[in-house]
Amino acid sequence: MPQADSKSSSVKEQQQSSQDSLNPYLYPQHSENNHLDLYELWLEIWNRKWIVFTVTIFAALGSLIYAMQLQNIYKAEALLNPPKAKNVQELNLLNVKHDEDIVKQKDLYIVKVFNKFQQNIHSRVIQKQFIQEKGLMELLVEEQTPETRYEDIYNAFSKMIKVIGDESSIFVSMEMNDPDLAAKWVNELVEFTDKKTIDMEVEDLQNSIANRIKEIDYRIKTTLKMEKIFRKDTIKIYEEALTIAKELGIRDRVGNTNYWSDYLNTRQDMKTPNSPLYLRGYLALNAEIATLKNRESDDPFTMGLRELQQQKELMQTVKFDKSKLSSIHIDQLAYPPKFANEPNRRMIISLTTVFAFILGIILALFLGFIKNQRKISE
């Protein structure tokens, strides 16, 4: 019996040792086995290289087919600069002053007009007018249905337009699948916006001129009215001086009195002229009173009237030749590009191939890991 027990115990020890040899991961091993063996990883990848190559090739072919199906997007771009001084000289006519700031004032007006153009090219109202006047609705939407919303079309067109720049220069671009149409629309939009900007500026100036003319007319009317009142007051003053001259018996002018000097002094302060009016004598005063009463027009005697009339005449003769006006200077027109801006097929295929290759390696390692785990569990 003791021998049988010893035999059974030895058999158990052998079985246990064999199990331990089959399952090395159940017990701690030496430290060098705890480190990742790059050579074993390379073997795992190499043994399953068909997985890596298959995933990479299929992904590359798929990306190639996908990239070839994408439509080419072409970018047409125009370069615009602020207008020349001669292009806005007529628009700045009313604001120019003959002083040392005239150059600075012109520069400020050039910047103002150029900024106005930039605002207008972003304006949805201008873009809607452009689409409607050029008949682009049918080109933007091939098949219109009752559910088609025009606002969505306008928004889509607005997103196609890119304007980048500052007060010194701007780039106006448009991206489409038709290079010729993209260049044409950019140039037409720039021309259309420039025309609208000039129309707005001219309309504002014409309104300002009309308001100035109304103001001048009001000042002329008021000045003539006051001149008539002053003439009546002058007659009363002369009549009073005539009475005094008759009572004093002053028939002719006394002393060296200056008529024009007395007249100007009388206008400035009728109550206190340099010399008493009765010293002119009642003969002269009678003649002056009769002349003032029989005066047909006060225009030649109204101070400042001719200057106002001259200003009005200048305002009325202002004309604008829109063909010579411009809010921009086109440095370079948009032209049909030869090469597509999007999509970048080479990049799409390259990135897809690289990611597929990495994915294939990860998949090969994962399958190797699953296989080893099955061996361990067995």
Side-chain angles (χ1 to χ4, degrees), residues 169 248 265:
S169 63
L248 296 177
N265 291 330

Side-chain angles (χ1 to χ4, degrees), residues 32-47:
E32 60 270 12
N33 293 332
N34 292 333
H35 295 288
L36 182 65
D37 195 336
L38 296 179
Y39 180 71
E40 291 181 359
L41 291 177
W42 168 251
L43 289 179
E44 290 287 348
I45 297 172
W46 181 253
N47 290 334

Side-chain angles (χ1 to χ4, degrees), residues 114 139 165 200 216 285 335 362 373 377:
F114 191 55
L139 298 176
M200 292 179 181
I216 292 174
L285 290 172
Y335 59 90
I362 295 173
Q373 290 298 319
S377 62

